[in-house]
Amino acid sequence: MRVSLNWLEELLSEGALADIPIEELTERLDMTGTGVEAVEKTGQTPEGIYIGQIKSKEPHPDSDHLWLTRVDVGEAGGEYADEDGLLQIVCGAQNFEEGDRVPVAMVGTVFPNATDDGKDFTIKKSKIRGIESFGMNCSMRELGLGDDHQGIMVLDQDAPIGVPFSDWYKAGDTVLDLEITPNRPDCLSMVGMAREFGAVFDVEPKRELEPVIELVEGDENIDDIATVVVEDPALCPRYTARVIKGVTVGPSPQWLADRVTAAGTRSVNNVVDITNFIMYELGQPLHAFDLGRLAKDGDRRAKIIVRRAHDGEQMTTLDQLDRKLGSENLLICDLEGPVALAGVMGGLTSEVEDYNIDILLEEAKFDPANVSRTSRALQLISESSLRFERGVDIDNVITALDRAAALIAQVGGGQVVAGAIDVMAAPIEKLTLPLRHELMTRIIGEDISLDTAKTYLEKLGCVVESGNDELNVTVPTYRPDLEREIDLVEEVLRLWGMENVEATLPGGRERLGGLTRTQQLRGVLDKTLRSLGLSETMTLPFSDDADLAKLSFEPDEGHQLVMLHNPMSSEQAILRPLLLPGLLNSVSLNKRRGVSDIHLFERGKAFLTKKGRKLPKEPERIAAVLSGLWNRAGWNVSSEPIDFFDAKGIITSLMDELNIDRLRMVEPQKDSLPWLQPGKAAVLMLGNAPIGWLGEIHPRVAQQFEIDDPVVAFEFDVGKTFKAAKADRDFTTPPRYPGIEMDIALVIDEDVAHSDIERRIRALGKKSALTDVDLFDIYRGKGVPQGKKSMAYRLGYRSENRTLTTEEVERIHEKVLEKLKKELGAELRS
């Protein structure tokens, strides 16, 4: 909502906002729940422009279209004035006469960003066709007050000569761009904001905030011209209409164009601008139909029918698009078909165009939920639909209609037909709520008197009656958010100032706080990664289809990507199925900025769905990217580039901290993880269930993300991992008896993984005295056949209740070798 302070000051008492600095004003609005997103200065004319009067106008001796003028600007002429105190200015405009008062730019005046290439333009002493010129008579476009640049701006005859133009015209305005919460439709109007400003800053309006309506009706009655039938009163509780005959549609007067422009809307014509003006002034959207283009019945009356659309019914809206509709859409129709989408957009067949016409003016109350569904389904979100879907004031409908009809007749020269059509489903009933002092004090934590509360609520437009230690508050219909007693407490607190409440600890006995098991494990996860030297980051949950294509990512069978219906940009059209693309973009950005050593992790949600699901799955995942060095080399510290085993060590440390001992790392199936380098990748398994992956990013993928250095990454499912975490740790007493260590060197096929060997050895150890398995050497080369490798293990043996003999250990050692020979084809290296 754009709020013009010039417009606002017209509704408030004289100088109400003049003494409030803009910083204080915006801060106070923020504290009362109305966010200020931007402050914009508009219509600021450059310094050096004064009001002048054309004293003489003569043809230029060397041109058939230029004029030689002598202009009186008072003392502002300075050194460039002639002996009569007048400025000589060559002017090319044709729309002025001697005696006219015009804005004049003095020599030295700077027009910012005035040239085609965006540079400043300075008025200089110059010669035009051999005649000296000391200034410029200005058009509206040059002053930033409109688009007209064909002629100079001719001012009222009472404009004071020699006075700075900006002091007299007061075109400058400050516009606040406010974020209005969805539950405050009353704040989507200037009258509503004047009421809010009055309550927040304790200032009075100049008058009652009811609009001035100067409605003059003709002799003809509206019942002879139009009728209205509402077939679905649940979707249209109130529908009103008036007819204005003989309206000349054309450009708006300047005051009207200025108002709608300040509100953020382009001036179209006087009829459309009046409907927009009322919408911004009162928060009540209207629509104007060309009465002559509406189908008539046998009595030559236009018949308006408010009904649901038929399934498959079509209409062409004002944006010239054909819309296919269904029974959930509400239509405004004549006898031949749809002429408007209720609360959303008018139809092309009844558009108001530029000629003398009769107008049927509509003002209604539509069901907010229905308007919201329709506008979003058709992607037709407008200033009108935003107000209808939040809820317009049903009690103010006829007021807005009369105000608009009177203004259309005023600016368009038409005649308002006598009477108004008003179809209302049920009488308007206002809600009355109690406000108990005891409740208010207990909730707020401060003793605010009922008299103070009454003052605040009355400033907001409530009717308040004092009772026995409570107030009876009748809520105005423009405040649909005030539904319960607690809502009144919130309003009192909001205006009294939440920042004025003294901070205290909440009371209560036997209230035990604490984190859930999942929250505790998240803390362990994050703390461990930070202690290992990683920095936490946060990327957007949106993804780019191009980034997924770089990874050659495809969802698992049966799953689908989650596409956004209305993305902010094409680069954010998908909800991310994994965290890696965002982290790789972070690596790329850091590398381009000169950061070579990168250790980042992120914990967040990924998104996938299946056909038929209403909502996507949102598994929580954790991912990390590592590139460069862990630390810089020093005189006593060497440094190696980060590789696969650094990331593996991080995961091992994480599992130790989470007390998980069932993690396995297995080689991925071919092409299952196409973004990882083959031979430097692993699938993370808990039991037989995969939870994630680990590996070095494929150089091809890294290059597509504009990364030249190796990157190691991992990503796994947090929820599945936490399910395997054990709350209690197992502790054993130190061994009482000595152990025996024996080495075994195996020659085995190249494709056999260490994890397969270790798992088989440990399986045997569960039934024997085998306790430790450590790989200490891998050898390929002389003495080892092609396609084979030598892997040497140190095995530890120990008994808890006696000292083992060498013969016992050797028997177990032989069983280990036999198991590996039988299951993996291993041979003892000679």
Side-chain angles (χ1 to χ4, degrees):
M1 173 69 182
R2 289 170 57 88
V3 173
S4 160
L5 293 190
N6 283 356
W7 192 349
L8 194 64
E9 286 176 343
E10 291 183 6
L11 301 173
L12 298 173
S13 56
E14 191 70 32
L17 303 178
D19 297 331
I20 305 176
I22 191 68
E23 295 80 8
E24 180 182 336
L25 187 145
T26 57
E27 180 181 0
R28 182 70 179 132
L29 286 175
D30 281 331
M31 293 301 295
T32 55
T34 304
V36 181
E37 294 189 328
V39 178
E40 179 184 344
K41 301 285 187 179
T42 64
Q44 303 293 317
T45 56
E47 294 184 4
I49 298 176
Y50 290 81
I51 297 174
Q53 184 179 35
I54 307 293
K55 290 296 186 180
S56 67
K57 171 186 176 184
E58 299 176 357
H60 191 290
D62 195 26
S63 172
D64 57 359
H65 69 278
L66 295 177
W67 297 96
L68 184 61
T69 66
R70 297 176 74 230
V71 185
D72 180 9
V73 292
E75 296 182 358
E79 60 179 301
Y80 299 106
D82 60 18
E83 61 275 7
D84 296 325
L86 305 179
L87 287 179
Q88 179 172 283
I89 298 176
V90 176
C91 181
Q94 308 298 318
N95 67 321
F96 67 98
E97 301 295 338
E98 288 185 2
D100 284 345
R101 304 193 180 202
V102 299
V104 182
M106 304 291 104
V107 173
T109 301
V110 178
F111 290 88
N113 307 318
T115 63
D116 292 338
D117 56 0
K119 295 182 179 179
D120 295 347
F121 176 73
T122 303
I123 301 297
K124 299 177 180 179
K125 173 185 173 182
S126 60
K127 279 191 176 182
I128 301 176
R129 298 285 182 96
I131 301 294
E132 286 188 317
S133 182
F134 302 98
M136 180 177 73
N137 300 327
C138 301
S139 68
M140 293 188 69
R141 182 174 178 179
E142 288 156 347
L143 297 174
L145 302 176
D147 294 329
D148 185 7
H149 64 285
Q150 299 301 318
I152 61 176
M153 183 179 183
V154 178
L155 308 178
D156 297 339
Q157 282 301 309
D158 60 355
I161 296 171
V163 170
F165 176 78
S166 59
D167 292 350
W168 174 79
Y169 191 74
K170 297 188 182 301
D173 193 4
T174 299
V175 177
L176 305 181
D177 191 354
L178 303 180
E179 180 185 10
I180 307 300
T181 55
N183 66 328
R184 291 295 305 275
D186 59 302
C187 287
L188 290 174
S189 68
M190 290 303 302
V191 166
M193 286 310 304
R195 191 181 297 111
E196 180 75 3
F197 269 71
V200 170
F201 297 101
D202 194 23
V203 295
E204 296 295 331
K206 284 185 178 177
R207 52 176 172 77
E208 289 296 322
L209 290 174
E210 294 294 327
V212 175
I213 301 174
E214 298 175 353
L215 186 65
V216 179
E217 297 180 322
D219 296 330
E220 195 173 3
N221 193 283
I222 192 171
D223 292 334
D224 299 326
I225 299 173
T227 62
V228 172
V229 175
V230 178
E231 293 185 358
D232 196 330
L235 298 186
C236 181
R238 191 174 190 182
Y239 191 97
T240 65
R242 271 194 178 275
V243 171
I244 308 99
K245 285 199 161 187
V247 177
T248 301
V249 181
S252 294
Q254 193 62 44
W255 70 268
L256 179 57
D258 288 345
R259 282 287 181 256
V260 296
T261 301
T265 301
R266 179 178 60 89
S267 176
V268 179
N269 58 50
N270 51 6
V271 173
V272 174
D273 287 356
I274 286 296
T275 61
N276 285 331
F277 172 77
I278 298 301
M279 177 180 67
Y280 290 122
E281 181 188 43
L282 301 178
Q284 306 279 144
L286 303 100
H287 188 72
F289 298 101
D290 183 344
L291 183 63
R293 301 174 71 176
L294 296 176
K296 309 298 190 297
D297 61 14
D299 296 326
R300 302 299 300 161
R301 296 184 303 175
K303 185 174 183 179
I304 295 294
I305 306 166
V306 185
R307 63 169 174 83
R308 289 178 180 267
H310 308 306
D311 286 331
E313 189 171 7
Q314 291 189 342
M315 71 168 292
T316 304
T317 46
L318 285 172
D319 54 4
Q320 301 185 1
L321 294 178
D322 293 331
R323 307 284 180 177
K324 188 174 181 180
L325 309 172
S327 58
E328 70 277 6
N329 305 126
L330 187 68
L331 295 177
I332 312 300
C333 305
D334 64 5
L335 290 170
E336 294 181 354
V339 293
L341 264 172
V344 180
M345 183 175 282
L348 192 64
T349 57
S350 59
E351 179 183 13
V352 171
E353 297 180 336
D354 292 350
Y355 48 79
N356 291 336
I357 60 172
D358 298 335
I359 288 175
L360 186 142
L361 188 64
E362 160 200 284
E363 165 66 343
K365 163 78 173 179
F366 299 115
D367 176 63
N370 180 263
V371 174
S372 179
R373 287 192 296 269
T374 298
S375 64
R376 278 157 175 73
L378 299 177
Q379 297 186 15
L380 279 174
I381 299 174
S382 63
E383 291 287 346
S384 293
S385 68
L386 286 174
R387 286 163 173 79
F388 276 120
E389 69 181 32
R390 282 160 171 77
V392 300
D393 182 9
I394 192 171
D395 199 25
N396 205 32
V397 166
I398 202 71
T399 301
L401 180 73
D402 290 349
R403 168 88 161 142
L407 288 176
I408 288 175
Q410 175 186 322
V411 302
Q415 175 67 61
V416 180
V417 170
I421 297 174
D422 188 358
V423 179
M424 188 159 54
I428 299 171
E429 295 183 1
K430 295 185 178 180
L431 180 66
T432 299
L433 299 170
L435 178 58
R436 292 166 289 167
H437 183 255
E438 176 273 330
L439 175 76
M440 184 171 64
T441 302
R442 176 161 51 86
I443 295 296
I444 295 176
E446 295 282 352
D447 187 6
I448 302 175
S449 70
L450 285 179
D451 288 341
T452 301
K454 181 180 180 182
T455 300
Y456 289 147
L457 295 173
E458 286 178 339
K459 283 183 175 294
L460 293 173
C462 299
V463 177
V464 185
E465 295 181 0
S466 299
N468 184 18
D469 206 30
E470 70 175 26
L471 301 176
N472 292 311
V473 182
T474 301
V475 179
T477 51
Y478 53 75
R479 289 299 302 270
D481 58 309
L482 302 182
E483 300 176 315
R484 303 167 299 164
E485 184 178 9
I486 194 67
D487 297 328
L488 300 179
V489 174
E490 181 181 354
E491 288 301 287
V492 172
L493 174 59
R494 189 173 66 87
L495 297 177
W496 188 75
M498 288 181 284
E499 68 279 9
N500 296 323
V501 177
E502 184 178 352
T504 57
L505 290 174
R509 295 179 300 172
E510 299 178 359
R511 293 185 179 180
L512 298 178
L515 301 177
T516 65
R517 174 68 173 159
T518 299
Q519 289 171 331
Q520 291 173 347
L521 292 175
R522 284 195 187 113
V524 171
L525 199 64
D526 296 349
K527 182 179 179 180
T528 302
L529 287 171
R530 286 193 292 267
S531 69
L532 291 170
L534 278 70
S535 298
E536 187 171 7
T537 187
M538 182 181 292
T539 61
L540 291 174
F542 309 110
S543 189
D544 185 356
D545 192 40
D547 285 345
L548 297 179
K550 294 173 187 176
L551 299 177
S552 301
F553 174 84
E554 292 291 340
D556 296 337
E557 186 176 354
H559 286 85
Q560 299 174 349
L561 297 175
V562 181
M563 313 296 293
L564 299 179
H565 287 299
N566 192 20
M568 292 182 285
S569 68
S570 59
E571 291 79 19
Q572 298 179 0
I574 303 171
L575 286 176
R576 63 187 181 194
L578 70 167
L579 277 57
L580 180 63
L583 290 173
L584 288 179
N585 281 319
S586 295
V587 173
S588 177
L589 177 63
N590 278 278
K591 293 283 188 182
R592 294 197 301 272
R593 298 288 175 87
V595 180
S596 57
D597 302 332
I598 300 167
H599 322 121
L600 298 175
F601 81 92
E602 178 178 12
R603 179 169 51 79
K605 289 186 177 181
F607 303 85
L608 280 172
T609 190
K610 287 185 177 181
K611 187 175 182 181
R613 283 185 65 94
K614 291 184 177 180
L615 294 174
K617 295 181 179 179
E618 301 181 22
E620 185 178 16
R621 300 181 68 81
I622 193 158
V625 286
L626 309 169
S627 183
L629 307 173
W630 270 121
N631 55 275
R632 294 293 174 179
W635 67 272
N636 63 342
V637 178
S638 61
S639 187
E640 297 292 334
I642 292 172
D643 61 15
F644 173 90
F645 295 101
D646 292 304
K648 179 181 177 182
I650 290 172
I651 292 177
T652 302
S653 297
L654 281 174
M655 297 304 155
D656 288 343
E657 291 297 323
L658 293 171
N659 199 16
I660 297 174
D661 56 11
R662 297 189 298 114
L663 180 75
R664 294 189 297 124
M665 300 184 187
V666 301
E667 185 177 357
Q669 295 181 358
K670 186 178 180 180
D671 299 330
S672 63
L673 298 170
W675 56 88
L676 297 182
Q677 176 83 324
K680 298 181 179 181
V683 176
L684 305 179
M685 307 282 292
L686 281 175
N688 295 321
I691 62 166
W693 51 264
L694 155 72
E696 183 176 315
I697 300 300
H698 198 291
R700 167 186 53 80
V701 175
Q703 286 291 334
Q704 291 187 73
F705 279 93
E706 301 181 24
I707 303 171
D708 297 328
D709 302 323
V711 179
V712 181
F714 64 79
E715 182 169 336
F716 59 87
D717 189 291
V718 172
K720 293 178 180 178
T721 305
F722 286 173
K723 287 181 180 179
K726 293 184 291 185
D728 298 324
R729 292 185 177 272
D730 297 328
F731 292 94
T732 58
T733 59
R736 297 178 59 189
Y737 299 97
I740 297 176
E741 290 184 346
M742 296 186 69
D743 296 346
I744 184 172
L746 305 171
V747 176
I748 200 162
D749 290 342
E750 185 68 57
D751 59 355
V752 177
H754 157 68
S755 59
D756 292 331
I757 299 173
E758 182 183 25
R759 181 160 48 87
R760 284 169 170 79
I761 296 174
R762 289 192 181 278
L764 185 63
K766 293 179 180 179
K767 302 177 182 179
S768 68
L770 178 64
T771 57
D772 299 310
V773 182
D774 294 313
L775 174 67
F776 67 87
D777 182 60
I778 301 177
Y779 173 75
R780 299 175 181 86
K782 187 177 180 180
V784 177
Q786 187 74 21
K788 302 280 187 175
K789 60 185 175 182
S790 170
M791 303 182 72
Y793 290 86
R794 181 166 290 117
L795 307 183
Y797 300 89
R798 188 190 305 275
S799 173
E800 295 180 359
N801 50 31
R802 62 189 177 86
T803 301
L804 295 174
T805 65
T806 303
E807 291 77 12
E808 290 178 301
V809 172
E810 287 178 348
R811 284 196 297 270
I812 302 172
H813 207 64
E814 286 295 326
K815 289 183 179 179
V816 169
L817 181 58
E818 289 175 8
K819 184 179 181 68
L820 296 177
K821 282 182 178 180
K822 182 179 179 180
E823 297 185 6
L824 297 176
E827 296 291 339
L828 188 65
R829 182 180 174 190
S830 57

